[in-house]
Amino acid sequence: MTTRLIDDGLFESVEPPRLLGVRCTACGTVVFPRQDSCPRCPDGTMAPHVLPERGVVWSWTLQAFPPKPPYRPPAEGFQPYALGYVDLGEVLVEARLDVPRGQVRIGLPVRLTLVPACHDEDGTQVLTFAFRPDPGPDPEGER
């Protein structure tokens, strides 16, 4: 099956998935998604900054109804999903949570992943970012 990213500009890499934000060169503020100016100060320029792949659920809710366009539901139709803010240390990222509903909780350790978002008219599967439960440290000991 052919796949593509929902927006190439959101990612620094795909394998492994890494999100690309920006950091202000003057005050150090990190922003995602990327933007051209700092929301905190007028002095710096925004430089590319790769975000951590692990974080914790800061807050969450259940997306129980289809979002408005330009959202497109998957071919199987809309299914409710968890949506939340993930604290990556430097920035909160709003994202889909690929976590069973009964297991979602504030403080849950999560890791970045890619999930299907929808299909293009030609059948191409469109992938977006999400966070899933993090089973623990990598074999290399990173956390």
Side-chain angles (χ1 to χ4, degrees):
M1 172 183 292
T2 305
T3 62
R4 73 170 180 85
L5 296 173
I6 197 159
D7 181 343
D8 291 335
L10 297 175
F11 300 89
E12 189 270 335
S13 67
V14 176
E15 291 192 25
R18 295 300 296 265
L19 296 175
L20 183 61
V22 289
R23 178 189 296 271
C24 177
T25 58
C27 71
T29 297
V30 176
V31 179
F32 179 84
R34 296 182 296 166
Q35 61 186 48
D36 294 333
S37 60
C38 181
R40 290 214 172 130
C41 79
D43 299 328
T45 57
M46 303 306 279
H49 179 71
V50 179
L51 301 181
E53 63 187 83
R54 292 178 164 159
V56 296
V57 174
W58 184 80
S59 184
W60 73 277
T61 190
L62 182 67
Q63 180 67 42
F65 56 89
K68 296 177 182 175
Y71 170 81
R72 293 177 291 156
E76 309 81 44
F78 176 79
Q79 296 294 317
Y81 57 89
L83 179 70
Y85 284 104
V86 174
D87 185 347
L88 297 179
E90 302 171 307
V91 66
L92 293 175
V93 171
E94 183 180 355
R96 184 173 182 159
L97 302 174
D98 190 25
V99 179
R101 188 168 156 188
Q103 295 178 21
V104 181
R105 63 178 170 76
I106 292 171
L108 177 70
V110 290
R111 184 177 194 151
L112 185 65
T113 190
L114 296 174
V115 296
C118 60
H119 287 83
D120 285 339
E121 290 179 11
D122 66 1
T124 299
Q125 185 178 56
V126 181
L127 302 175
T128 191
F129 66 92
F131 288 86
R132 61 176 163 77
D134 186 1
D138 281 354
E140 296 86 39
E142 290 182 25
R143 182 80 176 127

